[in-house]
């Protein structure tokens, strides 16, 4: 048996701490090495214990969970799973702010009287324990560069026309990148954007609202049959695949998981390639697994342009790395530079070689 994954449990409720600890202790691969009643205690414990994963409540006295996440990710970067009440009872930015600060995932707390079986945290905690987190100091973001790193050549849209769609696949660590990208894209960005972001289903509406508040574009969850229009960003809702059955429209389709996900980035990207051919832009961001890689193959084969986040700026290089390994990525770009690169590509400009 390998070494157990060490976990720090943070919650101001004694009952919640007890339920979380009991749920985690049932998995022989996990070990709760400490608990904390508030964010200040959590920061002190993180410094001393160096746990592999932290479960973090949001609303706590002395120091709240969001402030604790900010301090922990700046001082002792650790994979953090935020546990919170139903986001529909909170402002959208409250929980999603945690993602911007560096937390990796969000999960809703079950009702206290639901029993420990409802607190099914083990799988998520074990997945997060394998993530290489990076230090977050949000007051010192790296400024965008005028050029972006690139490999290969840039396909040219048919007859000089703008790209018809930008299809995006994103997972662990992706909300932070999407937040910056959408906040920096101009209101006149000419290409409609469709996004699959893997996230706990309960937080989809909260995520869309949080991203919408940061962007000059119109951001919302996609509806079946909705038009693809410049200045609009459509995000796949949970439990259905988001596809582009033909140019100018999206559809929501039930089905089975692809690459372990529904909605699936690959399903979206493949449908975009089929509908728009050479006028397709595909973007794959940080995330575990390989979702989206086969979709990037389809876009490349259709003559479209493919962009991947680089390893340096990824929380997890799994999804972009899988696409790069298939040799179907035209441009490998730092997460901070993606918005600028997309603007240039949408205008038909080439990207500078080298950084």
């Amino acid at each position: 048996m390998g070494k157990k994954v060490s976990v720090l449990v943070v919650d101001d409720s004694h009952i919640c701490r007890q339920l979380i600890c009991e749920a985690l202790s049932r998995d022989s691969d996990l070990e709760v090495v400490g608990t904390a009643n508030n964010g200040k205690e959590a920061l002190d414990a993180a410094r001393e214990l160096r746990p592999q994963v932290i479960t973090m409540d949001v609303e706590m006295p002395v120091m709240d969970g969001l402030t604790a996440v900010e301090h922990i990710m700046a001082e002792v970067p650790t994979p953090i799973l935020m546990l919170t009440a139903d986001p529909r009872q909170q402002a959208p930015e409250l929980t999603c702010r945690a993602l911007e600060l560096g937390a990796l995932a969000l999960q809703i707390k079950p009702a206290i009287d639901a029993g420990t079986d409802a607190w099914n945290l083990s799988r998520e905690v074990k997945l997060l324990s394998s993530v290489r987190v990076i230090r977050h100091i949000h007051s010192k973001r790296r400024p965008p560069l005028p050029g972006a790193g690139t490999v290969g050549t840039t396909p040219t849209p048919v007859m000089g026309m703008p790209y018809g769609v930008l299809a995006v696949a994103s997972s662990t660590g992706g909300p932070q990148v999407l937040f910056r990208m959408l906040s920096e894209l101009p209101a006149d960005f000419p290409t409609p954007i469709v996004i699959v972001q893997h996230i706990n289903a309960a937080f989809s509406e909260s995520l869309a609202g949080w991203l919408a508040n940061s962007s000059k574009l119109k951001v919302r969850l996609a509806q079946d049959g909705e038009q693809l229009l410049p200045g609009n960003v459509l995000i796949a809702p949970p439990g259905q695949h988001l596809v582009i059955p033909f140019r100018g429209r999206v559809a929501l389709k039930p089905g089975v998981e692809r690459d372990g996900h529904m909605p699936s980035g690959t399903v979206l990207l493949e449908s975009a390639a089929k509908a728009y051919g050479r006028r397709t832009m595909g973007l794959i961001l940080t995330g575990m697994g390989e979702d989206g890689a086969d979709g990037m193959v389809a876009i490349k084969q259709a003559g479209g342009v493919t962009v991947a986040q680089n390893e340096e700026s990824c929380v997890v290089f799994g999804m972009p790395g899988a696409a790069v390994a298939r040799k179907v990525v035209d441009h490998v770009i730092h997460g901070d530079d993606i918005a600028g690169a997309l603007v240039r590509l949408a205008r038909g400009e080439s990207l500078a070689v080298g950084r």
Side-chain angles (χ1 to χ4, degrees), residues 68-131:
V69 168
E70 185 170 19
H71 284 290
I72 289 170
M73 295 310 295
E75 296 183 35
V76 282
T78 309
I80 297 176
L81 171 62
M82 299 298 297
L83 300 178
T84 181
D86 191 330
R88 289 170 294 187
Q89 300 173 4
Q90 302 170 330
E93 64 274 9
L94 180 60
T95 48
C96 288
R97 170 69 174 157
L99 297 174
E100 184 189 4
L101 294 172
L104 293 184
L106 304 170
Q107 192 161 321
I108 289 181
K109 294 181 183 180
I112 290 178
D113 59 4
T116 56
D117 288 341
W119 296 73
N120 186 18
L121 306 176
S122 298
R123 178 178 179 275
E124 189 84 42
V125 167
K126 286 192 284 189
L127 283 174
L128 295 185
S129 71
S130 64
V131 173

Side-chain angles (χ1 to χ4, degrees), residues 240-283:
Q240 302 176 82
H241 289 302
L242 176 63
V243 299
I244 303 172
F246 49 84
R247 293 187 181 189
R249 296 277 179 181
V250 299
L252 301 178
K253 299 289 186 183
V256 297
E257 291 183 349
R258 176 83 178 270
D259 296 324
H261 298 281
M262 184 167 66
S264 157
T266 281
V267 169
L268 171 62
L269 270 59
E270 286 181 343
S271 71
K274 186 175 181 180
Y276 283 94
R278 291 181 60 192
R279 295 183 59 215
T280 309
M281 273 201 288
L283 172 62

Side-chain angles (χ1 to χ4, degrees), residues 142-150 333-334 337-338 340-341 344 350-355:
R142 188 176 68 80
L145 299 179
T150 179
I333 298 175
H334 194 286
D337 298 331
I338 287 176
R344 295 184 64 183
S350 61
L351 300 184
V353 177
R355 293 186 64 83

Side-chain angles (χ1 to χ4, degrees), residues 55-216:
T55 69
M56 181 77 71
D57 189 21
V58 175
E59 296 181 345
M60 295 181 291
V62 184
M63 180 187 289
D64 63 76
L66 299 184
T67 305
V69 168
E70 185 170 19
H71 284 290
I72 289 170
M73 295 310 295
E75 296 183 35
V76 282
T78 309
I80 297 176
L81 171 62
M82 299 298 297
L83 300 178
T84 181
D86 191 330
R88 289 170 294 187
Q89 300 173 4
Q90 302 170 330
E93 64 274 9
L94 180 60
T95 48
C96 288
R97 170 69 174 157
L99 297 174
E100 184 189 4
L101 294 172
L104 293 184
L106 304 170
Q107 192 161 321
I108 289 181
K109 294 181 183 180
I112 290 178
D113 59 4
T116 56
D117 288 341
W119 296 73
N120 186 18
L121 306 176
S122 298
R123 178 178 179 275
E124 189 84 42
V125 167
K126 286 192 284 189
L127 283 174
L128 295 185
S129 71
S130 64
V131 173
R132 173 188 59 83
V133 292
I134 57 178
R135 191 176 301 274
H136 284 247
I137 305 178
H138 286 271
S139 61
K140 297 182 179 180
R141 277 179 161 171
R142 188 176 68 80
L145 299 179
T150 179
V151 295
T153 58
T154 306
T156 302
V158 178
M159 298 176 62
M161 295 179 65
Y163 288 99
V165 69
L166 167 61
V168 184
S170 177
S171 190
T172 306
Q176 298 96 317
V177 185
L178 290 172
F179 182 89
R180 178 157 194 183
M181 180 185 91
L182 293 176
S183 67
E184 293 180 354
L185 287 176
D188 62 352
F189 185 71
T191 306
I193 302 173
V194 285
I195 298 172
V196 164
Q197 167 64 54
H198 304 155
I199 194 169
N200 186 296
F203 294 94
S204 293
E205 290 187 12
S206 180
L207 174 71
W210 176 63
L211 294 176
N213 288 339
S214 75
S215 180
K216 304 176 187 68

Side-chain angles (χ1 to χ4, degrees), residues 4-45:
K4 292 185 177 183
V5 174
S6 58
V7 187
L8 171 66
V9 174
V10 185
D11 201 297
D12 64 319
S13 165
H14 172 74
I15 295 176
C16 286
R17 289 198 310 275
Q18 183 177 19
L19 288 171
I20 295 168
C21 290
E22 289 178 3
L24 295 175
S25 66
R26 292 202 303 268
D27 192 310
S28 60
D29 294 329
L30 303 176
E31 179 183 14
V32 176
V33 294
T35 62
N37 299 313
N38 57 61
K40 184 179 183 303
E41 290 185 7
L43 177 59
D44 293 339

